[in-house]
Amino acid sequence: MQKRQQESRSELSEFGDTPPVEFRKQLHDLADWIADFREHIERLRVAPNDKPGAIREQLSKRAPEKGEPFEKILTDVDNIIVPGMVHWSHPMFLGYFGWTSTAPGILGEMLTAPLNVNAMTWRTCPAATELETVVVDWLRKWVGLSEQFEGVVYDTASVGIMHALAVAREEAAPETRKLGLTDRNLPRFRIYTSDQAHSSAEKAAIALGLGEENVIRIPSDDHFRMDVNSLGQRIAEDRQNHLQPMAVIATVGTTSTGSVDPVRDISNVCREAKIWLHIDAAYGGGFAMVPEYEWVRQGWELSDSIVINPHKTVFVPLDFSVLYVRDLARLRRVFSLVPEYLRGDTVEAEKNYMDYGIQLGRRFRALKAWVIWRSLGRAGVVARLREQIRLANLLVEWIKNDERFELSAQPSMGVVCFRFVGDAAASPRRAGAACGRAGSIDRIDKINSVIVERINASGRAYLTQTKLRGRTVMRIGLGNVLTTEEHLCQGWEIIQETANNL
């Protein structure tokens, strides 16, 4: 008997998990690794300059037959993975919208992993369900949304927009959930958004069977905001052509410039046309917390749905996006579907979040948001957003003081778009001559693109580029809490230096 017990314990060691003593040591080693990585991240290249396939060549072509020690795995992370990354958390990462990696965020992720629950219903994890309800309500109050809106957490805004448009489709064509769109003599449905809006509108139209060509891009004005008159005219034209307007997507914080559409005016058009209004506030929504930026939420109360990405501006690590819907039951009516094997776990009165989207399995995302927002507090979040705005305005002043560069858009929140124009800016006569020749303009476009490419290849900083009115511009997005004024100054000097070399 004793021999069999010893054999049983040996089998558990072989087929079970890592022994507790060894696991504890690995945790300590990993904690030290994470702390060292964060402390010394500035020593790393912001981005690699390797050719495609370079990382893959360093990795084994076959999975190991037997398990390998964690120490060896961590060594390979140091030697292969870290050098092959674009470090979004690096203070010199100035692309996209910056990033929101914070120490409390890392701690929140570390807490979530060992709990390892599936938050599909209340009964499968009451704490996950109820905490999600609480943190979503915290954010709602912070950004000034009324109690008419309730929210659900998804991974990204693209998924949130798809769910919102699914409800809009159901209300425009009842019974689509059951019958689909085919063989019902339905008109083609139209979705309207600005020419500056995110491509998630087209992806949602593809997924929902509406067709990407039915996403109509409305021209933007001089400030890159949707032109409301053009919107009204296009809706009227489509109705005359027997096409059915279904939804409008207004953007609060566009990807290229951070511009904010005139939501209140757009909502008036939607109300008159009796169509769904969705607000994509993935980037700009968080800034509604800042008293000086309360104007960004004008008209929100008139919308049907709003998406906000705390992983962009409210300091939660990817992936954490919240979709708010006026009367959330509308979302549930489209997606609730309870198979028999789950029926016993869905009898409680609390929300079962699997009913509010296509996902059945759901991560415990609310925990990391709860940890971060308790650690920073509302005042801490607002202070950090204000610092992003201050740095953006400081960069604007530097650009204005160098006659070789010009602003390409009125800066909004933490996004600054600008353009190298060279000596043409120093002389109106030369500027006019240059603008009169398409070749000169194309050459300036190319130079702006090359500046970004060379800086990114250097590993010293990371920028992005975009097109505004057909012209290539450089773009800096601030958002990383590790990025200080000194880092931004260093980045501006790198841009000037690279332009000089060209």
Side-chain angles (χ1 to χ4, degrees), residues 228-385:
V228 180
N229 289 331
S230 296
L231 172 65
Q233 291 170 8
R234 188 57 191 265
I235 288 174
E237 290 172 7
D238 282 350
R239 286 200 190 281
Q240 289 176 356
N241 292 321
H242 307 292
L243 303 168
Q244 184 167 337
M246 188 189 86
V248 174
I249 301 172
T251 307
V252 175
T254 58
T255 303
S256 286
T257 67
S259 59
V260 177
D261 286 340
V263 174
R264 188 174 296 281
D265 293 339
I266 292 170
S267 69
N268 292 333
V269 174
C270 291
R271 186 167 60 250
E272 183 177 343
K274 297 180 180 179
I275 58 178
W276 188 281
L277 172 58
H278 175 77
I279 298 175
D280 178 3
Y283 172 62
F287 284 93
M289 296 175 60
V290 182
E292 308 91 271
Y293 275 75
E294 288 182 356
W295 59 269
V296 304
R297 65 174 184 240
Q298 291 179 1
W300 287 14
E301 70 279 4
L302 303 172
S303 69
D304 294 282
S305 57
I306 302 172
V307 70
I308 298 173
N309 279 9
H311 66 231
K312 283 191 172 76
T313 49
V314 200
F315 304 103
V316 180
L318 191 73
D319 45 9
F320 193 94
S321 179
V322 184
L323 172 68
Y324 291 96
V325 179
R326 181 194 301 280
D327 183 10
L328 195 63
R330 295 193 287 176
L331 184 63
R332 187 181 185 278
R333 284 194 290 270
V334 174
F335 289 103
S336 178
L337 186 67
V338 183
E340 284 301 321
Y341 54 80
L342 287 174
R343 198 165 298 281
D345 274 351
T346 58
V347 295
E348 287 78 11
E350 285 286 343
K351 284 189 179 79
N352 297 308
Y353 277 110
M354 69 172 191
D355 291 340
Y356 297 86
I358 61 173
Q359 283 188 313
L360 177 58
R362 303 181 77 254
R363 295 176 56 213
F364 193 176
R365 290 189 176 94
L367 183 60
K368 61 184 178 183
W370 186 63
V371 170
I372 295 155
W373 293 344
R374 289 187 64 187
S375 298
L376 300 182
R378 186 201 61 81
V381 172
V382 169
R384 286 165 174 81
L385 291 175

Side-chain angles (χ1 to χ4, degrees), residues 180-246:
L181 293 170
T182 57
D183 297 326
R184 294 178 60 196
N185 197 30
L186 293 171
R188 289 173 65 183
F189 294 101
R190 295 291 218 191
I191 300 166
Y192 308 88
T193 193
S194 92
D195 57 15
Q196 299 297 307
H198 195 272
S199 59
S200 56
E202 281 84 0
K203 287 200 172 186
I206 293 168
L208 294 171
L210 301 171
E212 62 179 305
E213 289 188 0
N214 288 307
V215 176
I216 306 304
R217 293 284 178 161
I218 303 299
S220 54
D221 62 17
D222 291 341
H223 298 287
F224 302 100
R225 305 172 303 182
M226 185 190 295
D227 183 81
V228 180
N229 289 331
S230 296
L231 172 65
Q233 291 170 8
R234 188 57 191 265
I235 288 174
E237 290 172 7
D238 282 350
R239 286 200 190 281
Q240 289 176 356
N241 292 321
H242 307 292
L243 303 168
Q244 184 167 337
M246 188 189 86

Side-chain angles (χ1 to χ4, degrees), residues 15 43 80 157 166 265 306 339 342 354 398 408 418 435 441 476-477:
F15 300 115
R43 299 177 184 175
I80 303 173
D265 293 339
I306 302 172
L342 287 174
M354 69 172 191
W398 295 341
S408 303
F418 57 102
C435 291
I441 296 175
I476 283 181

